[in-house]
């Protein structure tokens, strides 16, 4: 088994709307002496993608009402509120703070929204790298989420291309021969922090081998839906469960000023 290497890719310029991320990332990799190879996995943070795709919108950071309205516009369900903090379910199916809207590392008077379709964003970068560098890599779009009953933030995958999002080990056995009934490994969630710049993980497939992935090759194509449970799937998230999840953040229930939207 080969080791898993995590390599930062510094040297990217400030990203602007319309920038070709694939070309910029390939250039940064070559400049840093770490060119991409087949089987590598690239982790690109959401903020970079949002900037390139024009998902930066005007917002007065001091205007609480405007921030609240923007969060509601990016949500399909409001779960809890505490001051300016809102736990909501986004149009993508993620339950997170303030619909994933970010006010950090953007120009004053603006806010960064999540990509409309992070899977498509990942495919676009992957296709660009295939065209420029002739390499077949996996691409993960990551964002930082909080965790119930835990301090600090962690990176999670919000979009994937060219890589399995989840390795389903149900039905296989552990070292003692006991059948695994619920084990599904979210291998797309980045291993360790991704501090604002793309990372390259070499030989990511070997991390799957350590989990005895069996017939689930790491480069198999998956989508975001493998990570976010749909309300229409067999594993439904009824309102009661969503409210329990929000209670773990120790915030107050929605005050009823906005009715819930149907899923789209």
């Amino acid at each position: 088994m080969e080791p898993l290497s995590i390599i930062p890719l510094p040297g990217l310029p400030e990203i602007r709307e319309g920038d070709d991320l694939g070309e910029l990332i390939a250039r940064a990799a070559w400049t840093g002496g770490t060119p991409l190879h087949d089987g590598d996995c690239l982790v690109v943070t959401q903020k970079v993608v949002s900037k390139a795709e024009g998902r930066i919108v005007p917002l007065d950071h001091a205007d609480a009402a405007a921030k609240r309205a923007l969060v509601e516009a990016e949500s399909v369900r409001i779960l809890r509120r505490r001051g300016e903090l809102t736990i909501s379910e986004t149009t993508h199916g993620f339950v997170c703070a303030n619909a994933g809207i970010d006010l950090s590392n953007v120009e004053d008077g603006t806010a960064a929204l999540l990509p409309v379709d992070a899977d498509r964003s990942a495919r676009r970068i992957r296709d660009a790298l295939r065209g420029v560098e002739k390499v077949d890599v996996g691409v993960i779009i990551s964002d930082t989420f909080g965790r119930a009953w835990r301090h600090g933030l962690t990176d999670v995958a919000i979009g994937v291309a060219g890589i399995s999002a989840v390795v389903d080990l149900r039905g296989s056995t552990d070292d003692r021969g006991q059948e695994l009934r619920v084990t599904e490994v979210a291998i797309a969630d980045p291993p360790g922090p991704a501090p604002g710049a793309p990372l390259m993980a070499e030989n990511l497939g070997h991390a799957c081998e350590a989990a005895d992935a069996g017939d689930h090759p790491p480069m198999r194509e998956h989508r975001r839906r493998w990570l976010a449970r749909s309300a229409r799937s067999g594993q439904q998230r009824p309102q009661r469960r969503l409210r329990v999840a929000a209670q773990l953040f120790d915030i107050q229930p929605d005050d009823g000023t906005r009715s819930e939207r149907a899923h789209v």
Side-chain angles (χ1 to χ4, degrees):
M1 182 183 298
E2 297 182 28
L4 172 67
S5 301
I6 300 177
I7 304 169
L9 296 180
L12 284 175
E14 179 67 25
I15 302 300
R16 305 293 182 188
E17 182 176 355
D19 282 347
D20 186 330
L21 289 180
E23 181 177 344
L24 292 174
I25 289 169
R27 187 184 307 161
W30 273 106
T31 301
T34 55
L36 295 164
H37 300 284
D38 286 340
D40 287 347
C41 183
L42 190 71
V43 181
V44 184
T45 55
Q46 161 268 323
K47 187 74 60 62
V48 171
V49 175
S50 293
K51 288 181 176 181
E53 295 184 352
R55 293 287 284 168
I56 307 299
V57 298
L59 180 69
D60 182 353
H61 294 190
D63 189 338
K67 285 192 286 186
R68 176 170 175 150
L70 184 58
V71 169
E72 292 181 350
E74 293 295 307
S75 303
V76 295
R77 198 185 300 267
I78 301 297
L79 304 177
R80 289 290 191 273
R81 300 185 193 273
R82 184 182 66 198
E84 294 188 4
L85 174 62
T86 298
I87 299 299
S88 71
E89 182 176 0
T90 71
T91 56
H92 318 79
F94 299 119
V95 175
C96 58
N98 294 332
I101 296 169
D102 201 338
L103 306 184
S104 64
N105 293 314
V106 293
E107 298 291 339
D108 290 341
T110 64
L113 309 181
L114 293 178
V116 173
D117 185 342
D119 286 334
R120 183 176 59 192
S121 303
R123 288 196 300 272
R124 186 180 295 119
I125 295 172
R126 183 173 186 246
D127 290 344
L129 289 171
R130 185 186 290 127
V132 172
E133 293 294 289
K134 311 302 181 186
V135 293
D136 189 15
V137 300
V139 177
I140 297 170
I141 309 300
S142 73
D143 196 10
T144 49
F145 281 18
R147 302 161 297 165
W149 298 113
R150 302 276 291 184
H151 288 294
L153 301 173
T154 188
D155 270 66
V156 300
I158 64 170
V160 295
I163 184 172
S164 298
V166 174
V167 173
D168 188 351
L169 301 182
R170 293 173 297 178
S172 61
T173 57
D174 64 13
D175 290 341
R176 297 178 180 273
Q178 299 183 74
E179 181 180 355
L180 301 177
R181 299 181 181 276
V182 298
T183 304
E184 296 178 88
V185 183
I187 64 167
D189 286 341
L199 300 173
M200 180 176 65
E202 290 185 332
N203 301 314
L204 185 63
H206 295 284
C208 305
E209 292 174 11
D212 190 22
D215 294 330
H216 302 273
M219 297 304 285
R220 177 183 176 186
E221 187 77 14
H222 273 180
R223 297 287 186 269
R224 178 190 67 245
R225 63 183 175 82
W226 287 76
L227 290 166
R229 291 180 178 177
S230 169
R232 293 175 178 172
S233 71
Q235 296 175 308
Q236 292 187 3
R237 297 186 299 178
Q239 181 64 12
R240 182 183 64 81
R241 292 183 183 176
L242 289 172
R243 291 192 180 279
V244 169
Q247 287 171 351
L248 297 180
F249 287 90
D250 190 27
I251 57 180
Q252 297 301 312
D254 183 22
D255 57 13
T257 58
R258 174 180 177 274
S259 60
E260 295 174 0
R261 301 178 185 173
H263 281 269
V264 294

